[in-house]
Amino acid sequence: MRQLVDEAGVADCFRIDSKATSTEEIGNPPYPPARRKLMEMGVSMPPHQASQITRDDYDEYDCIIGMDSNNIRNMLRIFGSDTEHKISKLRDFTPHPGDIADPWYTDDFDTTYVQILEGCRCLLQSLLKSSLICPS
């Protein structure tokens, strides 16, 4: 997503972060096969360690995106509710709503990459069309 907003010339309009909705990977760097896939696709990835999403993040962000139903369930448990309708699944912005295929289980990083890229492109288009981001 960072690369897409940069390429669109609107990086200054966004604050993008990635946080875990569970505790299994806290403190770990990105999963090596995922990193390799991003490198293969020319996507730069700054150093990153997993940190967990917190209740305060709900107030800090305008849009909170999960990859699958488990992420959404965990976020609702952490946040308590979604009264401002900030939480969505990434694929819900595409013509193919639903869960992102989790390569931890599928070992199919190609499909996951395609789904995430499509979701990020559609999310960016949706945000740019709204008055929420980069108002004219």
Side-chain angles (χ1 to χ4, degrees):
M1 188 67 171
R2 284 185 186 104
Q3 189 166 325
L4 292 175
V5 299
D6 191 46
E7 290 169 358
V10 293
D12 291 344
C13 299
F14 288 83
R15 181 174 152 213
I16 300 168
D17 202 352
S18 173
K19 296 197 177 185
T21 65
S22 64
T23 59
E24 290 92 356
E25 296 296 326
I26 302 303
N28 291 335
Y31 188 49
R35 240 187 129 75
R36 283 193 293 277
K37 183 62 183 176
L38 292 173
M39 288 174 53
E40 173 190 327
M41 302 309 295
V43 177
S44 63
M45 182 175 227
H48 180 78
Q49 286 185 329
S51 62
Q52 186 160 12
I53 199 165
T54 67
R55 174 64 185 100
D56 291 340
D57 290 323
Y58 191 83
D59 297 326
E60 289 290 319
Y61 292 91
D62 297 321
C63 188
I64 302 170
I65 305 297
M67 297 295 112
D68 58 32
S69 299
N70 289 333
N71 289 160
I72 302 300
R73 183 193 69 238
N74 290 344
M75 284 189 266
L76 290 171
R77 180 182 47 78
I78 291 165
F79 298 145
S81 65
D82 183 22
T83 57
E84 296 180 46
H85 308 288
K86 295 180 177 188
I87 300 173
S88 302
K89 283 193 240 178
L90 183 60
R91 289 193 82 195
D92 288 351
F93 292 91
T94 76
H96 313 98
D99 289 352
I100 298 287
D102 188 337
W104 180 260
Y105 301 105
T106 67
D107 200 35
D108 182 357
F109 289 85
D110 295 330
T111 295
T112 301
Y113 177 82
V114 167
Q115 290 176 345
I116 290 173
L117 180 60
E118 177 188 39
C120 287
R121 285 179 173 158
C122 291
L123 172 59
L124 178 58
Q125 289 296 322
S126 176
L127 291 171
L128 291 175
K129 287 178 186 174
S130 76
S131 59
L132 183 64
I133 305 297
C134 291
S136 302

